[in-house]
Amino acid sequence: MVKSVNIFVLNWNGKDLTIACLNSLKNITYPNAHVIVIDNGSTDGSVDAISNQFHEYEIIQLAENFGFSQGNNAGFKSVKHKSDYTIFLNNDTIVDSNFVEPLINEMEINSSVKQSAPKIYYADQRDLIWFAGGKVSLWNGYIRHIGIRKKDSPIFSKLSEIDYATGCCICMRSEDFSDIGMFDESFLMYGEDVDLSLRFRKQGGQILFVPESKIWHKVSSSIGTQFSIRKWKRKNIGKIKIVTKHVHPAQLPIVMPLAILVSILELFITIILGFGRKH
């Protein structure tokens, strides 16, 4: 029997993006998939628009915007159809019709694999990589997507073990996600996906990049567009929280200054790239 999968799409005032994502999900080939929209208290008419166009999809309405971690956790806990597997998918994505099968197949082959992640491209340059795996160094707070802004090539088409899976699209066994405690809701924005992967790895689990699975992410491929002081601040708050949580307290006097130094260097790069974009 084909294992069941729930695909959760979190929405907050993103009606048009979510509808485009859901339209792409209508074409998936996996035979036992259920799509669930988690609405984070939208005020843009999202729920009515989605329910009118997608009668077959379950919609979970939350009273307010609970953010990424708490919103996805709430949807996972309250969904009507329980499943063998769970996929969390950003609403600003378009999926390949067979993106589900490779993610689940690799986890069926190897029980030690706790998360699988697809190859993710920029939607505005469909052969440009956004995510081909993730690297983490807790010693200096380095957290980075592999292959970001590089042209797709055979080097990014190898099944490989990675340090973390991005929350943009992540597949897990539902039981594993529940047993580990789901997303840490103390992360307000950025870092909750890396934290979850690190927790799985501490338990001996593997995180797998599965390039046969492909999706496209609607973020700008322009370096200047992607960098902003506000985004840098949010990302680095999440990064410092990750370092504090996962590094032994005795190591913090060494690790934290290095992490802060890396953050400052990233800030200078942010300012320079932003300035260059304006001139």
Side-chain angles (χ1 to χ4, degrees):
M1 183 177 178
V2 177
K3 296 292 181 68
S4 59
V5 60
N6 282 340
I7 304 173
F8 292 94
V9 179
L10 186 68
N11 174 73
W12 179 64
N13 290 337
K15 177 174 59 179
D16 294 338
L17 286 172
T18 300
I19 287 173
C21 177
L22 297 177
N23 274 321
S24 74
L25 285 169
K26 288 177 70 174
N27 299 318
I28 61 174
T29 55
Y30 195 79
N32 196 8
H34 303 276
V35 177
I36 303 98
V37 178
I38 307 167
D39 187 76
N40 250 338
S42 293
T43 57
D44 67 342
S46 287
V47 173
D48 288 340
I50 293 166
S51 61
N52 287 336
Q53 292 189 44
F54 304 96
H55 305 288
E56 69 275 29
Y57 294 164
E58 181 178 348
I59 302 177
I60 297 171
Q61 291 182 253
L62 304 180
E64 58 186 276
N65 182 11
F66 290 108
F68 181 90
S69 297
Q70 190 175 353
N72 276 318
N73 285 350
F76 176 82
K77 288 184 286 188
S78 59
V79 68
K80 295 176 182 176
H81 300 283
K82 304 303 178 182
S83 63
D84 299 303
Y85 285 90
T86 291
I87 292 175
F88 292 105
L89 180 70
N90 270 20
N91 70 322
D92 58 352
T93 58
I94 300 296
V95 303
D96 189 51
S97 60
N98 67 340
F99 90 105
V100 174
E101 287 89 338
L103 297 176
I104 290 179
N105 288 344
E106 292 301 331
M107 298 186 73
E108 286 287 286
I109 292 170
N110 187 349
S111 61
S112 67
V113 175
K114 299 301 181 182
Q115 294 179 311
S116 57
K119 182 188 292 187
I120 305 177
Y121 300 91
Y122 287 95
D124 64 353
Q125 291 194 46
R126 293 179 65 84
D127 62 344
L128 200 67
I129 298 290
W130 184 76
F131 179 88
K135 294 290 291 182
V136 177
S137 173
L138 292 174
W139 279 102
N140 57 18
Y142 179 86
I143 301 171
R144 184 74 171 173
H145 288 191
I146 296 170
I148 187 166
R149 298 187 193 89
K150 294 183 179 178
K151 290 283 187 180
D152 195 12
S153 69
I155 195 173
F156 303 124
S157 298
K158 298 176 182 178
L159 186 74
S160 56
E161 188 173 351
I162 56 178
D163 290 343
Y164 70 90
T166 173
C168 179
C169 182
I170 184 170
C171 179
M172 294 166 279
R173 296 178 191 85
S174 299
E175 183 178 14
D176 289 341
F177 181 63
S178 180
D179 288 347
I180 206 167
M182 302 179 288
F183 290 111
D184 182 343
E185 295 180 4
S186 68
F187 284 86
L188 300 178
M189 182 178 290
Y190 296 113
E192 59 279 299
D193 49 0
V194 178
D195 167 71
L196 183 63
S197 292
L198 291 177
R199 284 190 277 142
F200 274 122
R201 290 176 59 207
K202 282 184 176 180
Q203 294 182 353
Q206 294 176 293
I207 317 299
L208 210 60
F209 168 62
V210 185
E212 289 182 56
S213 175
K214 300 176 182 180
I215 70 170
W216 288 263
H217 192 194
K218 292 180 180 178
V219 289
S220 175
S221 59
S222 166
I223 292 178
T225 302
Q226 287 217 31
F227 282 92
S228 70
I229 300 298
R230 186 179 180 185
K231 184 175 181 179
W232 171 88
K233 182 178 178 180
R234 289 176 172 175
K235 288 180 71 174
N236 281 281
I237 288 172
K239 180 174 75 175
I240 297 303
K241 184 174 178 62
I242 287 170
V243 171
T244 304
K245 181 176 179 178
H246 290 279
V247 169
H248 192 280
Q251 297 172 320
L252 284 175
I254 299 173
V255 173
M256 193 58 70
L258 287 174
I260 292 172
L261 177 61
V262 170
S263 295
I264 292 171
L265 290 174
E266 290 174 348
L267 174 59
F268 282 129
I269 293 172
T270 298
I271 293 171
I272 291 169
L273 290 174
F275 182 82
R277 182 172 175 262
K278 294 177 182 177
H279 294 81

